[in-house]
């Protein structure tokens, strides 16, 4: 995504061609041109690749679709007009929010001759050919409208089998797995969150904002474990924080990456940063309880501390809606014998350090924690022992999307209070004020204990800003991400209130004034809106701020970048 391969055609073939000939020879009928480039030329405008190569030696006869508004990234083009991409070989534009003006401009370009009529006929013919080949026009065997096949028992059974067969057992000391179905089992962490188990590109773009109710036919990991344990006469208890009153025989802790799609998942290192799961594992281990970690992720990550604190560690990837597939393998019968064995092996090497290099088999210095193809089974065991907890990286690096979460400013971000007398940056303090008292902040309760900050602006006003070293949010603004935060008006503003991002600002007074005092609400403002109001999106060192010049009191929490699910706004001034 957005990569630029610098090198000759032969170098690109050696590095990137593998997979394409096999897919085309197998009959694939559509190919998407990505946002990426070759020697600085975007693929979506590169006739050499899209036409000469793809239609020539590779023999592709389906249609090519562009990526999301990719035409707008080409020179001389915009989201609403781009003859260059069409002439280069794009047959279908992916233009979800710009299609009407793009249709009009494309039609005008055909009429003017800028796009040859033969090229338009060619694109239409390719798309119709694919529809014919897939049976869309076959009245005797229609493929549309069979909604009963969505989530059918046969499809769910296949998905559950995929979960079962893809689990990779990295560690199993003392044969803590399989768990006897008649045991007393404590289930902690995010076991009852189907959204987290599904990841991004699901019901929403980034996979965020979903509850289990949004997956009415799905089963969470907790639901699968509870069902399997109950069937064997055991007792399963859900306790997200790992607390218990009656000591369990074993604890299963489910944790991992929160959902993301494409660039929102970019990380500087492979270090798994959240500390709560490790703290839970250590508390359980100190209590003498055998611990089983179920790690949810879209990739291998450096988790040595968590592996050390676990008796068993399972890489479960993203099992989605079929959490029962995990219980099929982890929970045995009443005698503790396996109902299903592990069959999954690592399709990518597991890192020994958070640097994650080198991780490809055959590279000089290849030395992973768990090699490509590694995977234990109940029949094939091995002792892992204590792993090094030196991550190999210094500092926490940049954080593009989480600023103030669970009552903490996520490193490297911090809160700065500014007025006409200067500024005061809060370090470990939970309260403070700007030099002339124009704005003050204190910790207070929100969704959790001290999870929020109460901001009070006085006459003369000031600005509360989250700040750190500059980061580049250009891709996030192209993808229509939004600055989001929860807020509660505690005292109405006696003057205008602005949301700021660097030098950009939007007047949110009307939204603030419309909110009832004392009621929690969420506000999302599109990054592109703040970009158009003066923010330098390529160098953001202050991703969020509130500015008021008169008395005003508001409490805020959960400040982050979030996907625009049709609920982000661009306030008018």
């Amino acid at each position: 995504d957005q990569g630029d391969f610098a090198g000759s055609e032969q170098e690109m073939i050696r590095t990137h061609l593998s997979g394409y000939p096999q897919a085309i020879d197998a009959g694939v009928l559509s190919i998407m041109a990505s946002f990426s480039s070759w020697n600085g030329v975007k693929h979506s405008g590169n006739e050499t690749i899209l036409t000469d190569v793809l239609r020539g030696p590779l023999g592709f006869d389906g249609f090519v679709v562009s990526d999301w508004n990719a035409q707008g990234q080409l020179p001389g083009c915009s989201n609403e007009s781009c003859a260059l991409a069409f002439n280069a070989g794009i047959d279908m534009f992916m233009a979800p929010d710009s299609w009407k003006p793009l249709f009009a401009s494309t039609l005008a370009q055909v009429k003017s001759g800028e796009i040859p009529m033969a090229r338009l006929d060619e694109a239409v013919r390719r798309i119709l050919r694919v529809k014919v080949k897939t049976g869309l026009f076959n009245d005797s065997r229609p493929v549309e409208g069979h909604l009963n096949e969505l989530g059918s028992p046969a499809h769910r059974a296949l998905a559950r089998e995929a979960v079962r067969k893809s689990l990779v057992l990295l560690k199993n000391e003392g044969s803590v797995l399989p768990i006897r179905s008649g045991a007393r089992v404590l289930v902690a962490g995010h076991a009852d969150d189907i959204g987290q188990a599904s990841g991004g590109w699901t019901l929403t773009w980034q996979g965020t904002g979903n509850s289990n109710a949004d997956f009415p036919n799905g089963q969470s990991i907790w639901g699968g474990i509870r069902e399997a344990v109950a069937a064997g006469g055991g007792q399963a208890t859900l306790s997200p924080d790992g607390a218990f009153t009656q000591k369990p025989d074993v604890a299963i802790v489910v944790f991992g990456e929160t959902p993301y799609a494409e660039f929102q998942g970019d990380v500087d290192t492979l270090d798994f940063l959240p500390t709560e799961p490790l703290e839970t594992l250590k508390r359980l281990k100190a209590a003498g309880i055998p611990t089983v970690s179920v790690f949810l992720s879209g990739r291998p990550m450096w988790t040595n501390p968590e592996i050390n604190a676990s008796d068993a560690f399972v890489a479960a990837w993203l099992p989605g809606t079929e959490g029962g597939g995990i219980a099929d393998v982890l929970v045995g019968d009443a005698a503790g014998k396996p109902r299903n064995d592990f069959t999954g092996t690592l399709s990518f090497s597991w890192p020994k350090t958070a640097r994650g290099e080198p991780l490809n088999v055959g590279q000089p210095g290849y030395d992973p924690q768990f090699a490509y193809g590694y995977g234990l089974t109940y029949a094939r065991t091995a002792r892992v022992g204590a792993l090094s907890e030196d991550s190999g990286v210094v500092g926490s690096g940049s954080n593009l999307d989480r600023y103030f979460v669970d009552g903490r400013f996520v490193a490297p971000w911090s809160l700065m209070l500014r007025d006409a007398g200067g500024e005061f940056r809060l370090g470990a303090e939970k309260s403070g004020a700007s030099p002339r008292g124009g704005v003050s902040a204190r910790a207070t309760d929100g969704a959790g204990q001290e999870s929020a900050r109460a901001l009070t602006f006085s006459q003369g006003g000031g600005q509360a800003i989250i700040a750190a070293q500059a980061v580049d949010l250009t891709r996030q603004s192209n993808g229509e991400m939004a600055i989001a935060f929860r807020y509660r008006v505690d005292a109405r503003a006696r003057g205008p209130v602005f949301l700021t991002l660097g030098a950009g600002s939007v007047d949110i007074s009307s939204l603030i004034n419309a909110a009832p005092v004392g009621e929690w609400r969420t506000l999302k403002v599109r990054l592109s809106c703040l970009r158009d109001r003066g923010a330098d999106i390529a160098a953001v060192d202050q991703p969020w701020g509130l500015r008021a010049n008169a008395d005003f009191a508001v409490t805020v929490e959960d400040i982050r970048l979030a996907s625009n699910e049709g609920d982000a706004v661009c306030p008018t001034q």
Side-chain angles (χ1 to χ4, degrees), residues 476-489:
Q476 284 78 354
S477 63
N478 288 342
E480 279 304 301
M481 300 295 290
I483 292 291
F485 64 100
R486 292 188 74 229
Y487 70 96
R488 182 189 66 204
V489 174

Side-chain angles (χ1 to χ4, degrees), residues 408-463:
R408 294 181 294 182
F409 290 93
V410 181
W413 305 103
S414 60
L415 183 65
M416 185 164 62
L417 304 174
R418 175 187 293 166
D419 61 19
E423 56 193 37
F424 171 72
R425 187 185 297 268
L426 276 73
E429 304 97 335
K430 292 189 176 182
S431 63
S434 57
R436 295 184 182 175
V439 57
S440 64
R442 62 177 176 83
T444 189
D445 295 346
Q449 185 176 8
E450 294 194 345
S451 65
R453 291 293 183 271
L455 304 176
T456 303
F457 297 83
S458 62
Q459 191 62 37
Q463 188 175 13

Side-chain angles (χ1 to χ4, degrees), residues 299-328:
R299 56 201 159 192
M301 302 198 75
W302 187 75
T303 50
N304 281 12
E306 290 79 9
I307 294 174
N308 284 341
S310 308
D311 294 290
F313 193 96
V314 177
W317 316 113
L318 296 173
T321 60
E322 302 309 314
I326 290 177
D328 289 343

Side-chain angles (χ1 to χ4, degrees), residues 237-316:
T237 301
L238 180 66
S239 174
D241 64 358
F244 60 88
T245 53
Q246 189 175 12
K247 185 176 179 180
D249 298 318
V250 64
I252 300 174
V253 183
V254 181
F255 63 96
E257 295 187 284
T258 51
Y260 57 81
E262 50 191 327
F263 53 77
Q264 280 302 101
D266 290 355
V267 289
D268 290 327
T269 76
L270 292 178
D271 193 356
F272 177 69
L273 294 174
T275 59
E276 293 84 354
L278 181 59
E279 293 166 0
T280 299
L281 286 166
K282 287 182 174 179
R283 284 198 309 271
L284 293 167
K285 198 170 185 70
I289 300 168
T291 54
V292 177
S293 285
V294 176
F295 186 61
L296 306 175
S297 72
R299 56 201 159 192
M301 302 198 75
W302 187 75
T303 50
N304 281 12
E306 290 79 9
I307 294 174
N308 284 341
S310 308
D311 294 290
F313 193 96
V314 177

Side-chain angles (χ1 to χ4, degrees), residues 150-239:
L150 295 175
S152 66
H155 288 184
R156 288 195 60 193
L158 183 62
R160 183 164 176 160
E161 179 186 352
V163 172
R164 191 164 60 239
K165 290 184 175 179
S166 63
L167 301 177
V168 180
L169 180 62
L170 300 183
K171 178 181 180 180
N172 190 21
E173 306 292 298
S175 298
V176 65
L177 291 176
I179 297 169
R180 182 172 52 85
S181 61
R184 183 181 299 113
V185 182
L186 178 72
V187 183
H190 299 282
D192 198 28
D193 188 340
I194 299 177
Q196 180 162 345
S198 299
W201 289 115
T202 46
L203 298 182
T204 57
W205 172 33
Q206 295 291 331
T208 57
N210 300 316
S211 69
N212 286 359
D214 297 315
F215 303 90
N217 296 315
Q219 183 180 48
S220 68
I221 296 171
W222 154 246
I225 294 171
R226 176 181 55 187
E227 183 178 78
V229 172
Q235 177 185 346
T237 301
L238 180 66
S239 174

